[in-house]
Structure formats: structure tokens, C-alpha cells
Amino acid sequence: MRINLTLQQLEAFEKVAASGSFRAAAQALFVSQPALSRTIRVAEAALGTRLFDRDTRHVALTPSGQELLPIARRILQEFDSAFSELSQFVDGRRGHVTVAALPSVGVALLPRAVATLRRRLPDVGFTLEEAPAAPLLQRVEQGLVDFGITVEPPADARLRYTHLLDDPFVLVCRRDDPLAQRKAVPWTALAGRPFIGSSAQGSIGPIVDAALLRQDITVTPTLEYPSVAAGGAMVAEGLGITVLPRLALGLVASRGLAVVPLQRPVVGRRIGIVSRIGRSLSPAAQGMVRYLAEELAVPAPQRRRAASR
């Protein structure tokens, strides 16, 4: 036989049993005593047994009431615990966030952000994935990650882009290269130089190629690097020069290399958060998005000064 008791009835029963008084229980529940009595009578009718022996002065549990009391307390405790967890989830204090990022972003931006959020929200778990731009967007579209941090994608009805920062490109050459001694160089300084380019799947190559085409600059392609780290190693071995976004420098072993700002024009890649339209982010993921937007809206020198305090 299935017994249908509501949480309200269980709570009313537990309060009367704990206080030994209908009057005190009614006050604790902020209901009238007649209303509380009706609730207990309905519960007893559903169970087919009396829960309390009562007269004008005393209230005592019947054997059935004694049997129900630990069950009622366990159910009420589990209910409170479950809804406490739900409340924490809705407030963004519990949950799990999965983020896919470009390798350069994963090194330059996310570790500090995740460390800060772990201190603030110790019950939120984080999974960080790295991927080139094209596979990253596929993971966002397929719903395999909560959101991605990557270059601005082409206009797409399925993706939402929220801008975070501009990542300027710089020249990377050996320290004994004549260009290494300059404070900045124009893109025309690349003309005719042996050039190490990016693989087609990454976010760097298309932007660099477009910049060279707009300036009508012809470079001498020598090699194509499979990763930014490999590109830096090739430059260090004297195989040519390359152009990288500043955030990617964290992936390069800098020994023997020089980094020179590129100007005339200043070219950068737009980095932001990409999520799938029509898919709601969890409260914890929304909190991480807000934190990243607020943190990265602060200029980098100010972020470094704040971190050193």
C-alpha cells in the first residue's frame, strides 16, 4: 500500500512531536491551532492510524507515531539538504564548468582566473580543454563544452560572441637579427625575409595572411609550424622569422629570441567568449563569464599591479 503524506503534513507531525504541544507547534509553523489539528487529522486518515494520544493537557506519540518520527525526520532532513544543494547551484556556488580555449589563452589567461574562482567558489569544479580555433568551435556547437574562449568566429546564427580583448601581433626573431634592436617595426620589414608560417587549422595563419595581403607584402615561406612552441624553436635555430599574437608568447621558449611590436598597421586578433545560441549556461558558468569579462576589461598593466599587491 502506498501512503501519500505531504511534506507539510510530515513537518506538522514532527513539530508537534518535538514540542509535545499543538499550541507551540502552531506558533513555530505560523499557522492557527485549528489548521494544525486539521493537518494532523488528514495525515492520520491517510495512514489509517492515530499518531498522537492527546487530552486537554498532554500530547503523546502512539506506537505508530513513534515509528513514523525517525522516518519523518530523515525525509525532512534529506529534503532540506537536497534543496540546499539546489539553492547553491542556482546561486552559482556549486556545479561544474567546462571551458575550451585556444592554447595561448589556456596559458596566458585562464590559470589565474580559475585559481581566483576556486578560492571564491571551492565547490565549483572546472575542466579546461585546449583546441585550435576550428575544432574548438565544433565543440561549442555540439554542446560538449559550456563555452569557448577563442578568436571572433564568422557570423553564425548558432554562436554568440562576447568580446573580451584585442591581442596584438608581434615579430619574433633571433636576438642577433638586425630587427631585434628596434623598438617597433612596420609589416613591410617582413618583405623578402624567410618566414615560418602557422598551420591552417589555427587562428593565427588566416589573420597574418590577410594582413600581408592588405599591405601587398610578399614573404618567403620556408616552413609551416605545427604548434607555436615548435615555431619558436624553428626561429631560435635560424630557420626564419615569424609573427605571433602576444598572448601566444607564453607557449614559446624565449631563450635566444627577441619580440618586437609590429606597427603600421597595428594588427590584432579579437579574443572573446563563444557560446551556443539557444543553450542556457549553468549559473556557475554564467559567473565565470561575468568574472572573465570584468577581469579582462581592466588593462593588463593594472591587472599586474593589482596581482602584485
Side-chain angles (χ1 to χ4, degrees), residues 2-15:
R2 180 170 180 175
I3 299 172
N4 291 318
L5 289 183
T6 67
L7 285 169
Q8 180 190 17
Q9 292 165 349
L10 287 174
E11 186 178 26
F13 163 73
E14 195 280 332
K15 281 286 190 280

Side-chain angles (χ1 to χ4, degrees), residues 137-158:
L137 292 179
Q138 290 178 359
R139 294 188 67 75
V140 174
E141 288 179 346
Q142 294 168 4
L144 299 176
V145 298
D146 291 297
F147 61 88
I149 306 180
T150 183
V151 294
E152 184 174 11
D156 190 321
R158 292 173 297 179

Side-chain angles (χ1 to χ4, degrees), residues 185-265:
V185 295
W187 283 76
T188 52
L190 308 180
R193 297 290 305 269
F195 191 79
I196 302 170
S198 168
S199 63
Q201 240 191 350
S203 64
I204 298 173
I207 300 175
V208 173
D209 291 345
L212 293 172
L213 183 63
R214 283 196 301 269
Q215 299 299 310
D216 196 23
I217 298 169
T218 301
V219 297
T220 305
T222 57
L223 291 167
E224 185 177 277
Y225 59 77
S227 68
V228 170
M234 292 176 182
V235 174
E237 290 299 326
L239 296 173
I241 60 175
T242 194
V243 170
L244 294 175
R246 189 168 288 279
L247 287 181
L249 296 178
L251 301 172
V252 176
S254 60
R255 186 175 180 181
L257 298 180
V259 175
V260 186
L262 277 166
Q263 297 180 352
R264 288 179 284 170

Side-chain angles (χ1 to χ4, degrees), residues 256-281:
L257 298 180
V259 175
V260 186
L262 277 166
Q263 297 180 352
R264 288 179 284 170
V266 173
V267 175
R269 58 178 185 171
R270 288 169 56 82
I271 300 290
I273 292 172
V274 177
S275 58
R276 195 176 73 182
I277 292 175
R279 183 190 183 201
S280 298
L281 294 178

Side-chain angles (χ1 to χ4, degrees), residues 116-137:
T116 299
L117 288 171
R118 285 296 296 272
R119 289 192 294 269
R120 295 181 182 178
L121 304 168
D123 293 325
V124 175
F126 295 94
T127 297
L128 304 181
E129 300 182 3
E130 287 187 351
L136 188 156
L137 292 179

Side-chain angles (χ1 to χ4, degrees), residues 41-230:
R41 284 198 300 271
V42 171
E44 290 175 330
L47 291 168
T49 185
R50 289 179 64 82
L51 298 174
F52 297 101
D53 288 326
R54 49 196 181 271
D55 55 32
T56 55
R57 293 188 177 182
H58 302 287
V59 175
L61 285 168
T62 65
S64 295
Q66 292 174 357
E67 186 71 18
L68 176 60
L69 183 58
I71 297 172
R73 285 176 171 166
R74 184 172 69 247
I75 291 172
L76 291 170
Q77 183 178 9
E78 289 176 355
F79 179 83
D80 289 343
S81 176
F83 271 80
S84 175
E85 291 179 7
L86 177 61
S87 175
Q88 292 181 50
F89 180 85
V90 171
D91 290 342
R93 291 178 287 127
R94 290 180 67 91
H96 194 96
V97 182
T98 301
V99 184
L102 296 174
S104 56
V105 172
V107 170
L109 299 181
L110 285 184
R112 178 178 295 176
V114 171
T116 299
L117 288 171
R118 285 296 296 272
R119 289 192 294 269
R120 295 181 182 178
L121 304 168
D123 293 325
V124 175
F126 295 94
T127 297
L128 304 181
E129 300 182 3
E130 287 187 351
L136 188 156
L137 292 179
Q138 290 178 359
R139 294 188 67 75
V140 174
E141 288 179 346
Q142 294 168 4
L144 299 176
V145 298
D146 291 297
F147 61 88
I149 306 180
T150 183
V151 294
E152 184 174 11
D156 190 321
R158 292 173 297 179
L159 295 175
R160 179 186 297 105
Y161 174 79
T162 303
H163 185 64
L164 291 178
L165 55 85
D166 294 312
D167 187 16
F169 280 83
V170 294
L171 167 70
V172 180
C173 60
R174 285 170 54 107
R175 288 182 182 170
D176 57 4
D177 190 292
L179 296 178
Q181 308 307 316
R182 299 173 64 172
K183 292 183 178 180
V185 295
W187 283 76
T188 52
L190 308 180
R193 297 290 305 269
F195 191 79
I196 302 170
S198 168
S199 63
Q201 240 191 350
S203 64
I204 298 173
I207 300 175
V208 173
D209 291 345
L212 293 172
L213 183 63
R214 283 196 301 269
Q215 299 299 310
D216 196 23
I217 298 169
T218 301
V219 297
T220 305
T222 57
L223 291 167
E224 185 177 277
Y225 59 77
S227 68
V228 170

